[in-house]
Amino acid sequence: MKASIFLTTIIALLLSYSPLSFDGIISETESETVNKEKTMNEELLRHVVMIKFKENTTEQEITKVEEAFSALPDKIDAISDYEWGTNNSPEGLNKGFTHCFLVTFESEEDRATYLPHPDHKAFVSVLEPHLEDVMVLDYWASED
């Protein structure tokens, strides 16, 4: 009985062991952590686009707009990240805006490339016939 408890303890210790850094050598796990912290602390330029569609816009037309916007990251290298969603806030303060798109850039130069880009302009031409209102807000994201 004592032997099986001892053996179980040894196995648990071995499984929980992680390499430590010695003499300036960083283990792979520590290196990954450092890289994640560096990425998390870098400022990123966020481009928030909130859309209010015209009342007569069909679900098919809205889907076409969603797909056109979602295709931009594959067409424009300046976009470093992208996400979107529809409003589900219970507060009722969205003022008719139903969609939010978040485009991330690493620099103002990347945003300057994106705004006049032909694929961005093509997206705007898909959106405009269905657009009641739009709100755009850009900011530098900071974890501080």
Side-chain angles (χ1 to χ4, degrees):
M1 181 75 157
K2 288 182 181 179
S4 68
I5 292 173
F6 176 74
L7 185 57
T8 303
T9 303
I10 295 298
I11 291 172
L13 287 171
L14 288 173
L15 290 174
S16 67
Y17 173 77
S18 64
L20 301 175
S21 59
F22 297 98
D23 299 325
I25 300 172
I26 298 177
S27 70
E28 184 176 337
T29 303
E30 290 176 31
S31 177
E32 289 172 3
T33 301
V34 168
N35 287 338
K36 285 179 186 173
E37 288 174 2
K38 182 180 177 190
T39 301
M40 287 172 45
N41 291 330
E42 290 178 1
E43 288 186 337
L44 296 170
L45 183 57
R46 307 286 194 197
H47 178 71
V48 181
V49 180
M50 291 174 278
I51 296 175
K52 179 179 181 179
F53 288 98
K54 292 179 180 176
E55 275 188 44
N56 63 347
T57 305
T58 67
E59 288 299 318
Q60 184 178 9
E61 291 166 330
I62 290 173
T63 299
K64 186 176 177 182
V65 169
E66 293 167 348
E67 290 172 351
F69 209 147
S70 296
L72 292 180
D74 290 331
K75 297 177 177 181
I76 304 174
D77 291 336
I79 297 172
S80 69
D81 199 15
Y82 167 82
E83 64 182 83
W84 74 277
T86 56
N87 179 53
N88 72 351
S89 173
E91 295 178 291
L93 301 174
N94 60 307
K95 298 182 180 183
F97 289 86
T98 58
H99 287 64
C100 183
F101 298 86
L102 178 64
V103 182
T104 302
F105 304 104
E106 293 180 2
S107 68
E108 290 185 11
E109 292 79 15
D110 287 345
R111 179 181 56 191
T113 298
Y114 165 80
L115 291 173
H117 194 283
D119 289 313
H120 177 248
K121 288 184 176 216
F123 158 72
V124 170
S125 70
V126 170
L127 170 64
E128 280 183 329
H130 313 293
L131 187 63
E132 176 71 27
D133 200 0
V134 64
M135 181 183 300
V136 177
L137 181 73
D138 291 2
Y139 66 94
W140 282 102
S142 179
E143 304 252 346
D144 296 340

